[in-house]
Amino acid sequence: ATPCRSIPVPINAPPSLSVCVEAITGMRLVLVALLFAGEVAVVAWAGMVLTRQAQQRFSTMCRHEGTDQIGMLKRWVGTIHSLVAPPSNSTGQKTGFGAKGAALKTASAVGEPRWQKEKPAENSRRASAEAEQSSHGSWPPDLSYDPSILRQGVARPSTFDPEFDDEPPRRYTLQVDEQALLRFAGPGRRLIASWTTGGPKRYSIARNLALSIRQNCGPELERMFVFVALDQDAYDRAASEGFQVVLNTGSVDMKDDIWKMRWLMQVTFLSLGIEILVVDSDIVFFRDPFEHFHFDSDQEMMTDHFFPREQLWATWLRPAEHMNTGFIYARPSVTLIAWLIEFLDRNYYEFFDRSLERDGMDQRVYNRFVMEKFEADPPGVFSAYEELIFEEVDWQADGRTSRFQPRSGWMKPANGWPRAQDSRRVKIRLLDPAEIAHGMNYFWRKAHKLRPGGPDGPDGTYRPPAVAHVNGVDPKQYFLRDRNAWYIEEWSERFGDRPSFMVYHHPTGLSLKDDFEYLMAAIEVAAYFRRRVVLPDTMNCANSPAYEVWRMNETLRDEPGCTYDYFAHANGLYEVYSRVKPFSVEAGLKRQKQFIDLMATSSTELASLEELRSSELLREEILALQEKGPGAAAFDDVRVLRLTESTDIRELRDGLRLGDFGFRMNAERIFDCAHQQILTSAMACLDEPYIEEFGAGALEKCEAVPQGCGPVGICCCWPFWGYGEKLQYFTGVAWNLPCNCGLDVCEQYDRPTALGSGAGSETCCRHTGQPSMYPKISEGVFPCKEPGQWSGLTATEDAHTYSTTALTDFLKGKRTAEQTFQTCRLDREMRRGEAYREVSSRWCNLQVSAFLLREGAPYRAKEWWDWMLQERRGVGNVSLLVAALDGNGTETDNTQLDQRKLRHDLEQLVHLSKQQSWRAHDFPTPWRESISTDWLAENLVPKYRELVTTFDGFMAGMRQREALMRIYSDVREFYNRAVYVPNVSLPKGMFAVHAQGREAEFQKAARSLRTEGVAVIDDFLTPEALALAQELLVDSTVWYSYKENGAVLKAQLKDGLHADLGLQIAQEAREHLDVLEKQSLLDILAYKLEAVSGNTGLPPRCEDGIIAMSLWVVEDAANADPDGNGVRIHDVSVPEDYSHKEAHGFGEQDAVRQLLSDARREPRRIPYRANRAVLWRAKSVYETDWDPSSWSTDYEHRRIDWLFLFGRSQIRGDRRSRRGNYVPSFEGREDGHYYAKDHDHR
């Protein structure tokens, strides 16, 4: 039975329904019985499924409603029937985003909405229901969840085969005291939870969350709140302050745990039957958020949208905007638990293989996951916001596909695992971002002031939102302190017992330039006085480009003005002039009681400028500072120095610089000058999807930001995160403030790039009027304009990860291979500095191939490989470089020559030139149409012969390098190129694997593989498939990589070995061998061995994946030893902490050989037979059992081992290189030096 909470309940339902549907387990069965069975049977059935306490409540509700049990149940049936039946408009269309446009904007246009927003009148009804229940017990009621049912969802998906995949058990729940959680939840079964480590910065933020609940929401919500401590220090800290806390004792990898924590918490709590509100530690509670919930969904979440009604689920927006996972309310159900476990499984490891990694931002990954489920077949999710239902992404497009391929070609991948294909989709509701506020909406926009009806709080003020997330703002502590949402008492810790502050008059209504002139003058004067200036909150809000479009002209109307962070990068000024250099403090300080007390008891006004000029007062104070040493301040007998309105701070600064007060001060000791330029990679309006949607004009508008020289840390084109860099793509209004905020305290000049080098010039910045060409600057400051600054489109931030839409869109047929490559190329060029397209094509090929194989889509991957083969190895390709797939990405495989490799290629070309004809080009050809067998014999073969002869002479010291390079240049465009790569395939309807009538034999092989780790199947291919396999592997020019001094050649699925025949063999093998049924194709490789003395073939090693299958297709006539020349498989597994080269490479087998020596076990020897398939566990060590002297030397008879690898990749990076204690990046550096190590402060 689906747990009762999976049934959606309309908020405007009778109180009895709101409570009782939650209280009854198996409610669907009760209602179905009422419809199809007798009334007496229904009452009896209800009696069986209700707990005794629920039965008593049910009777009480019936009396309260003035009806009997049957009447009450009938009411419920009617209400739920109206809920479940899709409402219709006048045309009979279902409500939802299948009907687009204005009909979706208002409930009146579509009839009664399925999802009701809780209205004030309904709040009172709900409150009365809660009051009624409080007289009969706790609220919410004691729910009848059966943990055994919920726990059924906490299991590996059906795609996992424990007999072969012996990875450590995956963790889907926390290792915590579950009984403690149940005690904390009490009969109401509802908790609020967050997690933290004991690190000082991380815990201080988490502590602020807990204190905000304690101070603002009272004991009722505090009793619901619990910390999950990730270490003992966090547990001790939380417990010492009286917070409820449990310790997660199962942490192995702290970095991985933090990524998964919110998802592990949900599964843990839900499987215990506990409703859970999981919040990030950087959330602040101002009021009870539950009054804003609808209680009709599996998850109710925060959104980062400003205009959700218009922009939710648009794919040209960054996906992380749609759902903010820092605030998730989840209700128990088996469906939701299975959904969460599917998400965890898909993203369980930090690395999928060496080319694909997990996106470090789990919020973006979860949004991608949900958006993929929207487009699945059948859909796995639908979403809601207020009365709107969302059943697809990009509903705003109204059929347009300008960014994608035509819809007719789109493919809908099936939902992941069978459990996810339940007819009941997961329901996710997004909450009002003005009440469940993201950081931008609260800390800047103050969207709660846009409530209809005006001020709704005491004394004519606005009530704050229920919660605010400190996301999109940086640094967090600055914003919390400045907006007075910091509840930790830390005055003494921050300022000591003798703080020294300065306040000044900052005029209102200034221009942007004047505002920042006043601000920088105040910081400079405070630095001279060794005081902290209290930053202004009276800057002109209208100077912000977001002022009107964000409606701040309405929300800030009752504010004195704006703080600097409305215009400039908050973290820049805070870090440089507050944390590293103690010259300033946030404006919100003046509202703190301690500061107010200081203003009343220990403050004084600075004398007028006229008095200071005519006296020695200021000179004496400044000179005295030199004697007093650190910690002292000018006018040190008072704690607050006040500059009156009559004192122009700019005039005071200029006087200090010019010597008006008897001495001169030097601004170069206060701030450095830097070249301020837009941070391209952060600007959302440069995102590839946004520009594709809105055109080149949007790109030009976004890049039209004035760059220039300004004080380090003051930058008005870096107002991050979430505010300025997203303004244009949310609203169309560009963030166009000059990078230096209009300041002219720094000047731009040109200087030689190096003294006396004469190598050119660079554009740099220095203090205005300073003559030095190379002024002294602080470490880590960038005074000069960076050469080659990126311009144009930027790739999606997660383009290098296995969850990016750059990959999923290609999988679905929405984008072409070329478009997919361009996105990957953009990412690698911009974020990884890859100047060469050839290197990017190598990495992009590995990434896209790994993803498509992981998704079980080899035939979709074939389209990619066709295009990539042309890109990388097309004959006549303008590039003369091909980056090798093997290695680290810096090697090429067509610029180094090897004697044996050249001889093989010559033999293959001669073989091809003797063919009567070639296969028709039935897929895009990467070779020249003019190439034919005659052309090979008459042109290319003679050149290759000359090259081989010349190279042999060069190696023997008889020929010069120049002669070799001259001859090589004639064949270079054909060397390691796709000269002939046919798409070998069977006629439609023909089988490749000879399995018909051999079911018992295949089942026996499967049992052998399970029990002994090895299986052998003879006559594996049909005669037709065997003949084609020989043709494919002998004729195709796909042997690009050479090993073992050229005696072993390698071909790869991702590099030409992707003919239909191989893919069909892999598919049919999975169909006929149940051991492969759950193991998707991972890779196809082939090794060709030359029968020369000393070539022992493949050295001891293991393969990637779960199961390996080697298929021998060269005819038996080539083998003179029918009892040998096969393979040796050892009953020894390579440990997972071996490096990739140690486990899978060539030439570095010392570790594996030592492993075999220590094991002292005899291997299993399997002799060679043509058309024999050998299967083994891929992690087992294997090696070629081969004597080249007993093998034919003919080209057509060269030995070939065709390898098929199945199951998930076991390569997740070199684990040993990543060992050690993980320190969350939020904790920052310990050495206190900011510039060079933490941030870039142009």
Side-chain angles (χ1 to χ4, degrees):
T2 303
C4 55
R5 295 204 172 199
S6 65
I7 301 175
V9 182
I11 293 304
N12 64 343
S16 55
L17 176 64
S18 301
V19 176
C20 280
V21 168
E22 294 182 342
I24 299 175
T25 302
M27 191 62 209
R28 291 182 190 275
L29 300 178
V30 176
L31 297 174
V32 171
L34 178 61
L35 293 173
F36 298 103
E39 294 181 349
V40 175
V42 172
V43 174
W45 199 341
M48 286 189 293
V49 300
L50 288 174
T51 63
R52 178 175 299 177
Q53 185 179 13
Q55 290 180 41
Q56 293 173 351
R57 292 182 181 174
F58 181 66
S59 298
T60 301
M61 290 173 197
C62 291
R63 291 194 302 270
H64 178 78
E65 297 287 338
T67 185
D68 58 13
Q69 294 180 355
I70 293 296
M72 181 66 75
L73 288 173
K74 286 182 176 178
R75 289 189 193 180
W76 293 356
V77 171
T79 305
I80 290 186
H81 177 74
S82 65
L83 172 74
V84 174
S88 301
N89 56 22
S90 58
T91 63
Q93 285 184 310
K94 287 185 178 180
T95 302
F97 285 112
K100 297 182 170 50
L104 301 173
K105 301 302 181 183
T106 63
S108 60
V110 295
E112 185 66 20
R114 288 169 63 185
W115 298 66
Q116 298 289 341
K117 182 182 178 183
E118 190 169 352
K119 299 179 176 64
E122 295 163 349
N123 280 333
S124 61
R125 179 184 294 178
R126 187 174 184 85
S128 65
E130 295 178 4
E132 174 194 348
Q133 292 306 311
S134 66
S135 63
H136 302 288
S138 62
W139 175 266
D142 185 5
L143 304 174
S144 303
Y145 289 121
D146 184 348
S148 65
I149 295 177
L150 294 172
R151 287 282 179 172
Q152 291 174 6
V154 188
R156 284 305 304 273
S158 60
T159 52
F160 176 71
D161 189 340
E163 289 190 86
F164 289 98
D165 197 336
D166 57 356
E167 69 170 8
R170 293 192 176 187
R171 295 185 304 116
Y172 303 116
T173 58
L174 303 172
Q175 292 180 257
V176 296
D177 185 346
E178 294 182 349
Q179 292 304 311
L181 292 179
L182 291 170
R183 285 198 310 274
F184 297 154
R189 294 288 184 92
R190 178 183 289 171
L191 286 176
I192 305 168
S194 188
W195 69 98
T196 183
T197 67
K201 288 185 179 180
R202 185 172 287 274
Y203 181 74
S204 66
I205 291 287
R207 182 187 177 204
N208 190 66
L209 159 65
L211 290 174
S212 73
I213 295 175
R214 177 176 289 175
Q215 179 167 321
N216 297 332
C217 302
E220 182 179 358
L221 251 62
E222 186 177 352
R223 283 194 296 268
M224 293 185 189
F225 181 72
V226 60
F227 270 129
V228 174
L230 303 190
D231 53 39
Q232 189 64 46
D233 189 21
Y235 181 89
D236 294 341
R237 287 172 180 259
S240 68
E241 296 193 73
F243 300 124
Q244 296 179 145
V245 59
V246 292
L247 176 64
N248 179 38
T249 59
S251 179
V252 176
D253 183 337
M254 181 68 76
K255 180 180 180 182
D256 188 57
D257 280 356
I258 288 176
W259 195 98
K260 296 174 181 171
M261 187 52 56
R262 79 179 86 249
W263 316 107
L264 295 174
M265 288 172 65
Q266 286 179 75
V267 176
T268 302
F269 286 82
L270 296 177
S271 65
L272 293 171
I274 299 172
E275 292 182 5
I276 181 62
L277 172 56
V278 179
V279 297
D280 279 358
S281 58
D282 60 341
I283 292 275
V284 179
F285 279 61
F286 299 112
R287 295 185 288 110
D288 183 351
F290 289 97
E291 67 183 61
H292 296 286
F293 293 175
H294 296 245
F295 302 99
D296 59 359
S297 308
D298 294 285
Q299 291 179 322
E300 300 191 46
M301 302 175 66
M302 179 182 286
T303 177
D304 278 344
H305 273 280
F306 295 91
F307 312 110
R309 299 182 69 90
E310 292 80 23
Q311 295 177 340
L312 262 172
W313 306 118
T315 59
W316 51 265
L317 289 165
R318 293 177 176 177
E321 315 292 1
H322 304 304
M323 298 181 298
N324 183 325
T325 57
F327 187 94
I328 305 175
Y329 171 60
R331 309 175 74 197
S333 74
V334 173
T335 302
L336 180 57
I337 291 172
W339 164 278
L340 292 169
I341 288 175
E342 179 181 352
F343 173 73
L344 280 167
D345 256 314
R346 287 197 184 188
N347 304 281
Y348 199 80
Y349 289 111
E350 184 179 357
F351 293 92
F352 173 66
D353 67 0
R354 292 192 303 159
S355 62
L356 274 179
E357 62 186 77
R358 183 175 64 199
D359 186 353
M361 185 182 185
D362 65 307
Q363 174 171 316
R364 182 164 50 224
V365 178
Y366 190 63
N367 273 273
R368 298 272 198 211
F369 176 76
V370 170
M371 294 169 77
E372 179 182 332
K373 289 296 187 180
F374 270 119
E375 297 185 307
D377 186 16
V381 67
F382 65 99
S383 174
Y385 176 74
E386 296 185 338
E387 81 283 0
L388 302 180
I389 303 295
F390 301 84
E391 295 188 297
E392 60 181 346
V393 296
D394 266 341
W395 55 270
Q396 301 92 340
D398 198 21
R400 290 184 293 109
T401 59
S402 57
R403 290 174 46 229
F404 303 117
Q405 293 299 295
R407 284 181 182 268
S408 59
W410 292 9
M411 291 172 281
K412 287 190 173 185
N415 265 337
W417 290 293
R419 288 182 307 180
Q421 294 177 357
D422 187 277
S423 60
R424 178 182 175 273
R425 292 182 283 175
V426 168
K427 296 183 285 291
I428 298 176
R429 175 176 283 282
L430 285 309
L431 300 170
D432 185 351
E435 303 295 349
I436 307 298
H438 55 76
M440 295 76 73
N441 246 0
Y442 175 71
F443 290 97
W444 281 309
R445 193 180 176 211
K446 303 185 188 299
H448 57 280
K449 293 185 178 181
L450 296 172
R451 292 190 192 107
D456 55 354
D459 304 323
T461 61
Y462 287 89
R463 290 192 310 161
V467 299
H469 192 182
V470 197
N471 71 310
V473 295
D474 182 35
K476 297 178 186 296
Q477 288 183 342
Y478 160 78
F479 281 93
L480 287 166
R481 289 167 177 158
D482 187 72
R483 273 52 164 184
N484 299 113
W486 187 251
Y487 300 96
I488 297 175
E489 177 50 60
E490 57 176 7
W491 181 274
S492 297
E493 179 184 340
R494 289 186 72 192
F495 305 120
D497 57 357
R498 289 182 60 80
S500 299
F501 300 112
M502 184 185 86
V503 294
Y504 76 103
H505 173 69
H506 190 106
T508 60
L510 300 176
S511 66
L512 181 75
K513 178 182 184 298
D514 288 341
D515 259 336
F516 276 90
E517 284 282 0
Y518 271 91
L519 176 64
M520 280 307 299
I523 290 174
E524 188 175 333
V525 170
Y528 296 148
F529 290 175
R530 292 190 185 174
R531 289 180 172 270
R532 289 180 180 267
V533 63
V534 179
L535 294 171
D537 59 3
T538 56
M539 299 178 79
N540 188 357
C541 301
N543 290 325
S544 169
Y547 184 60
E548 293 187 359
V549 72
W550 282 156
R551 297 178 64 185
M552 294 189 298
N553 55 337
E554 301 174 51
T555 61
L556 302 181
R557 189 178 299 157
D558 58 346
E559 304 283 345
C562 283
T563 47
Y564 78 91
D565 52 81
Y566 276 83
F567 319 94
H569 186 207
N571 201 34
L573 189 151
Y574 171 80
E575 290 287 353
V576 177
Y577 302 110
S578 184
R579 190 174 77 84
V580 176
K581 300 177 179 181
F583 301 158
S584 67
V585 69
E586 69 276 358
L589 184 80
K590 63 185 179 184
R591 293 186 288 274
Q592 290 191 25
K593 181 180 182 302
Q594 295 93 330
F595 185 83
I596 294 172
D597 291 344
L598 288 180
M599 285 288 288
T601 61
S602 184
S603 68
T604 189
E605 290 184 3
L606 182 67
S608 68
L609 296 182
E610 291 75 12
E611 292 177 278
L612 292 175
R613 288 190 181 97
S614 62
S615 69
E616 296 288 319
L617 177 61
L618 201 52
R619 172 184 172 84
E620 292 171 358
E621 286 290 336
I622 298 298
L623 292 177
L625 289 178
Q626 312 307 316
E627 299 177 2
K628 294 178 182 179
F635 309 99
D636 206 24
D637 55 332
V638 294
R639 306 279 51 86
V640 182
L641 181 63
R642 292 181 283 114
L643 278 63
T644 64
E645 184 175 346
S646 62
T647 301
D648 187 323
I649 193 72
R650 297 179 300 176
E651 188 177 349
L652 175 58
R653 175 204 60 189
D654 293 342
L656 290 167
R657 287 183 179 184
L658 297 173
D660 291 355
F661 308 106
F663 59 93
R664 289 178 181 269
M665 302 302 287
N666 186 0
E668 295 173 30
R669 301 179 61 183
I670 308 303
F671 63 87
D672 294 288
C673 288
H675 191 272
Q676 309 284 18
Q677 59 194 48
I678 189 173
L679 185 61
T680 306
S681 61
M683 297 301 291
C685 50
L686 294 177
D687 287 358
E688 188 179 23
Y690 174 79
I691 299 303
E692 287 179 342
E693 184 77 14
F694 294 100
L699 175 67
E700 295 172 4
K701 182 192 291 188
C702 187
E703 289 189 311
V705 176
Q707 303 181 13
C709 296
V712 67
I714 305 296
C715 184
C716 283
C717 58
W718 281 28
F720 307 130
W721 302 99
Y723 174 59
E725 90 280 16
K726 295 180 181 178
L727 178 65
Q728 180 178 331
Y729 102 139
F730 270 131
T731 69
V733 175
W735 186 271
N736 57 4
L737 297 186
C739 289
N740 63 4
C741 306
L743 292 171
D744 56 11
V745 293
C746 298
E747 66 180 10
Q748 182 172 299
Y749 70 106
D750 293 332
R751 71 183 188 188
T753 53
L755 285 173
S757 68
S761 63
E762 57 185 349
T763 300
C764 300
C765 302
R766 63 188 174 190
H767 285 261
T768 300
Q770 184 187 62
S772 174
M773 294 291 285
Y774 298 92
K776 183 178 179 181
I777 58 172
S778 301
E779 180 186 359
V781 173
F782 296 83
C784 299
K785 182 178 181 179
E786 288 188 351
Q789 182 190 359
W790 183 268
S791 62
L793 292 178
T794 60
T796 55
E797 297 169 300
D798 62 346
H800 61 292
T801 71
Y802 55 69
S803 57
T804 177
T805 51
L807 298 175
T808 58
D809 281 350
F810 178 72
L811 172 65
K812 298 171 187 175
K814 298 172 80 171
R815 298 177 78 83
T816 65
E818 183 175 7
Q819 288 174 315
T820 303
F821 172 71
Q822 290 302 330
T823 298
C824 180
R825 167 66 175 151
L826 273 176
D827 172 68
R828 300 202 65 85
E829 187 177 8
M830 181 181 72
R831 297 191 175 96
R832 288 154 186 78
E834 285 180 0
Y836 296 102
R837 181 184 177 97
E838 296 82 1
V839 177
S840 294
S841 68
R842 182 255 187 193
W843 279 109
C844 294
N845 188 21
L846 292 175
Q847 290 176 10
V848 176
S849 300
F851 170 79
L852 294 171
L853 289 168
R854 174 183 187 254
E855 294 296 314
Y859 286 97
R860 184 69 183 138
K862 190 176 186 303
E863 180 181 333
W864 166 260
W865 293 322
D866 287 345
W867 186 88
M868 185 51 66
L869 189 64
Q870 172 69 54
E871 166 72 17
R872 299 182 71 241
R873 300 193 186 273
V875 173
N877 192 316
V878 294
S879 171
L880 296 179
L881 299 175
V882 180
L885 288 189
D886 292 341
N888 59 15
T890 61
E891 303 94 344
T892 60
D893 63 14
N894 70 331
T895 58
Q896 299 180 18
L897 301 180
D898 176 86
Q899 282 178 296
R900 289 172 172 166
K901 170 73 166 68
L902 281 175
R903 281 200 293 269
H904 164 271
D905 290 357
L906 175 59
E907 291 178 9
Q908 186 177 38
L909 291 174
V910 171
H911 165 79
L912 288 174
S913 68
K914 295 177 180 179
Q915 303 300 307
Q916 294 297 319
S917 62
W918 285 354
R919 283 186 169 270
H921 301 160
D922 53 356
F923 72 106
T925 59
W927 57 86
R928 285 178 178 169
E929 295 290 346
S930 60
I931 295 179
S932 64
T933 56
D934 291 340
W935 186 89
L936 284 182
E938 298 171 4
N939 292 276
L940 195 56
V941 169
K943 292 179 180 178
Y944 253 89
R945 277 206 176 95
E946 184 180 8
L947 176 62
V948 170
T949 302
T950 305
F951 189 75
D952 289 344
F954 172 75
M955 296 300 293
M958 300 171 59
R959 299 295 298 268
Q960 296 296 318
R961 180 180 180 85
E962 291 75 11
L964 175 64
M965 295 307 298
R966 177 182 55 78
I967 298 171
Y968 173 61
S969 65
D970 292 337
V971 300
R972 181 170 182 174
E973 65 176 314
F974 303 99
Y975 178 66
N976 262 5
R977 297 285 184 175
V979 176
Y980 179 61
V981 185
N983 182 30
V984 176
S985 60
L986 283 164
K988 187 175 181 179
M990 293 190 66
F991 294 108
V993 175
H994 183 201
Q996 284 64 40
R998 304 176 67 193
E999 291 79 5
E1001 187 177 347
F1002 274 68
Q1003 290 173 4
K1004 180 181 177 181
R1007 286 194 299 271
S1008 176
L1009 185 58
R1010 293 183 188 279
T1011 57
E1012 302 175 27
V1014 180
V1016 178
I1017 305 176
D1018 286 327
D1019 296 324
F1020 188 74
L1021 299 180
T1022 63
E1024 297 84 0
L1026 178 62
L1028 287 178
Q1030 293 168 347
E1031 175 190 336
L1032 170 68
L1033 297 173
V1034 171
D1035 291 0
S1036 300
T1037 58
V1038 294
W1039 304 94
Y1040 305 127
S1041 176
Y1042 62 87
K1043 313 290 182 184
E1044 305 296 291
N1045 298 316
V1048 177
L1049 303 181
K1050 180 180 178 183
Q1052 303 184 61
L1053 175 67
K1054 306 161 190 173
D1055 207 5
L1057 192 63
H1058 60 273
D1060 284 345
L1061 178 65
L1063 300 179
Q1064 183 179 352
I1065 291 171
Q1067 179 61 32
E1068 292 184 20
R1070 294 182 63 225
E1071 293 171 358
H1072 296 297
L1073 287 163
D1074 61 2
V1075 291
L1076 298 179
E1077 181 182 359
K1078 297 180 180 179
Q1079 311 294 342
S1080 60
L1081 177 65
L1082 176 65
D1083 206 350
I1084 300 177
L1085 308 169
Y1087 293 99
K1088 184 183 286 191
L1089 281 59
E1090 183 182 7
V1092 294
S1093 176
N1095 181 17
T1096 58
L1098 303 181
R1101 57 203 294 276
C1102 72
E1103 291 294 347
D1104 192 14
I1106 305 297
I1107 296 173
M1109 180 178 78
S1110 184
L1111 185 56
W1112 295 323
V1113 300
V1114 176
E1115 58 191 36
D1116 287 328
N1119 179 23
D1121 181 7
D1123 296 324
N1125 283 338
V1127 66
R1128 287 193 293 266
I1129 300 176
H1130 299 265
D1131 187 20
V1132 176
S1133 298
V1134 176
E1136 69 169 16
D1137 64 348
Y1138 274 38
S1139 71
H1140 178 264
K1141 287 186 177 180
E1142 289 172 334
H1144 307 287
F1146 288 81
E1148 296 189 22
Q1149 272 64 54
D1150 290 347
V1152 175
R1153 294 185 191 280
Q1154 185 62 49
L1155 193 68
L1156 297 179
S1157 176
D1158 295 342
R1160 298 183 179 181
R1161 300 174 190 166
E1162 286 297 317
R1164 178 169 175 178
R1165 299 182 71 239
I1166 301 172
Y1168 184 92
R1169 293 285 187 278
N1171 205 9
R1172 169 173 282 179
V1174 182
L1175 296 92
W1176 69 94
R1177 295 176 184 267
K1179 66 179 181 179
S1180 297
V1181 178
Y1182 81 102
E1183 58 184 315
T1184 305
D1185 183 17
W1186 192 47
D1187 178 8
S1189 65
S1190 60
W1191 197 273
S1192 171
T1193 58
D1194 293 343
Y1195 170 76
E1196 291 81 358
H1197 287 159
R1198 285 200 182 205
R1199 172 174 172 164
I1200 297 175
D1201 289 51
W1202 200 7
L1203 277 172
F1204 295 77
L1205 306 181
F1206 300 93
R1208 65 176 182 83
S1209 174
Q1210 305 297 296
I1211 304 171
R1212 294 184 290 275
D1214 188 344
R1215 294 168 180 80
R1216 290 178 296 181
S1217 67
R1218 297 188 290 117
R1219 288 176 178 169
N1221 294 327
Y1222 169 71
V1223 178
S1225 59
F1226 182 74
E1227 290 300 317
R1229 306 285 178 171
E1230 295 182 355
D1231 59 10
H1233 185 68
Y1234 171 71
Y1235 294 104
K1237 297 184 178 180
D1238 282 351
H1239 292 275
D1240 172 354
H1241 265 292
R1242 264 174 279 272

